[in-house]
Amino acid sequence: MATSNGGTDVKSSRTFKLASFYSEVQTSRLNHALPFPSVLRKPFNVDDGPKSSAAGNPDEIAKLFPNLFGQPSASLVPNETGLSGSDQKLKIGVVLSGGQAPGGHNVISGIFDYLQDRVPGSTLYGFKGGPAGIMKGKYVELTSEFVYPYRNQGGFDMICSGRDKIETPDQFKQAQETSKKLDLDGLVVIGGDDSNTNACLLAENFRGSNMKTRVIGCPKTIDGDLKSKEVPTSFGFDTACKIYAEMIGNVMTDARSTGKYYHFVRLMGRAASHITLECALQTHPNVTIIGEEVAAKKQTLKNVTDYITDIICKRAELGYNYGVILIPEGLIDFIPEVQQLIAELNEILAHDVVDEAGAWKNKLRDQSHQLFDFLPEAIQEQLMLERDPHGNVQVAKIETEKMLIQMVEIELEKRKQAGAYKGQFKGQSHFFGYEGRCGLPTNFDSTYCYALGYAAGALLHAGKTGLISSVGNLSAPVEEWTVGGTALTALMDVERRHGKFKPVIKKAMVELEGAPFLKFASMRDEWAIKNRYINPGPIQFHGPASNALNHTLLLELGAQA
């Protein structure tokens, strides 16, 4: 029904809860018809490829996954007869795991529509609150009325997410019990690298226990660090980067308008700097710090500070006392001396009492002690905060942008005293993080996610397990996209933790010889001194820019081609 503010009141009869008073844009997105890979429009079969291996240490991966290792990846190919046994009704579960990313609802919509289109009478269950919903048996049956208000919408609020893992024997047993209770034929795990590692362990456990429940993963993370040749990108990266780029563009216009502020912008991405690099390619800031480059060059915190300060001084000579500086959230983790300091602090906090007089600092090595004293007091306090459940520093709580502002101020004051700097410096700090996780997905993410979900349904229907839904040929028109599944074990390596080998899907870091970084590196010196700012504006759903892919994906696909 129409609302007084011109939006539409969309209601789910199964939840008795208003999905929201939707804006005109949200309503138009609800009914937006998505383009579709042509292979999904017609009858198809699922063909196996060659036997797979692993990303590293295949012998160890084979021991950890005796029932799955070596299985082939799969491709959907046109076939007049379609999948055999297609009249069999299926019971499928779906779970959202980890942090939010734009497009998750469309993955679920794709699974739902596959079952409606290809296996009528099937049932889709949504596990509530992430993997804990599987273990605790908390779920809801998804219907057309339930799913409809979430199509092409941001967020994970249809069933919500969680960061629990299914790891212990008891937890695997709980997952088995829930799967048996619901008589599940399959389960789709929508998540990042850790969640998809967990999905593979679950698939191995189910197969080893002779259960009929099969498990398929879907690649989700705005950080952009879950990708490979077979899985070209994780969903949500495109939308999040475009949201951040709009905000950076606005800040650039503000900087140029006032002529007196340096905006230090910290961007999401704890492990990898893909978001920072992509936003730089979209907006052309004066300074961009890429964590992987800092680590490769073994730069110190002073090196980073001096690099920023040098550019500020050069700009001041040209009459520019303003600028924009991009910093990855995980910068602290990339600086070797800071990593060493954090490791020592972790050890002290785990085993010793931290006295107010500061005697505990004598347990730090000399270099770490000097670095700790060199840091601004606010950052010292943040480094001493409570650790996360894995014993790691909570990087998101360390305000690196404020730390760098203070350190640059100190260095500029020294140079001013020495007569080497005559400009004016005022720093403004920003953290663009959660703003990008739940925005309305771009046309690309909407379409890509729907295809991933539809493919996941097809893979389960074909009896596949231990694969991650894969959609490729993404630089071509949507009709020409390829669809299939990649063996999760093929993406894995091992890490030694607590004396045992643990399987991990290695995070894809920024490659310093990769096309996106090389493009950035070829232009950054010009951006530093000359104001080449670009304001990309808000995400477009219609018109010439509405279907543009992000620079990172385009450059990587071009390099592969």
Side-chain angles (χ1 to χ4, degrees), residues 327-439:
I327 306 154
E329 179 184 29
L331 175 63
I332 285 282
D333 274 350
F334 283 105
I335 300 174
E337 62 172 352
V338 180
Q339 289 176 335
Q340 179 62 39
L341 170 62
I342 288 171
E344 292 177 35
L345 289 175
N346 286 345
E347 201 64 28
I348 291 169
L349 289 171
H351 300 107
D352 297 297
V353 175
V354 177
D355 61 291
E356 287 188 18
W360 63 270
K361 286 194 249 181
N362 295 326
K363 295 179 181 176
L364 294 170
R365 295 183 188 178
D366 287 345
Q367 184 187 16
S368 295
H369 195 160
Q370 289 171 16
L371 175 60
F372 189 83
D373 288 342
F374 173 66
L375 294 171
E377 187 176 342
I379 302 301
Q380 291 180 0
E381 291 173 0
Q382 288 165 9
L383 283 172
M384 303 299 289
L385 289 172
E386 185 180 353
R387 274 26 185 177
D388 70 13
H390 304 288
N392 299 320
V393 171
Q394 298 185 61
V395 171
K397 293 187 177 179
I398 297 178
E399 296 171 318
T400 322
E401 70 284 14
K402 293 184 179 178
M403 174 186 75
L404 286 172
I405 288 173
Q406 291 181 44
M407 295 175 74
V408 166
E409 282 176 340
I410 292 167
E411 181 60 29
L412 285 172
E413 187 56 36
K414 288 179 185 174
R415 297 190 189 190
K416 189 170 272 192
Q417 296 295 328
Y421 173 65
K422 297 177 181 176
Q424 300 295 319
F425 175 81
K426 291 183 180 178
Q428 293 285 349
S429 63
H430 311 265
F431 174 41
F432 297 160
Y434 295 109
E435 296 91 339
R437 300 199 310 176
C438 290

Side-chain angles (χ1 to χ4, degrees), residues 172-184:
F172 279 119
K173 186 178 177 184
Q174 289 171 345
Q176 287 186 13
E177 287 171 353
T178 298
S179 299
K180 288 174 182 175
K181 175 186 171 185
L182 294 176
D183 193 29
L184 289 184

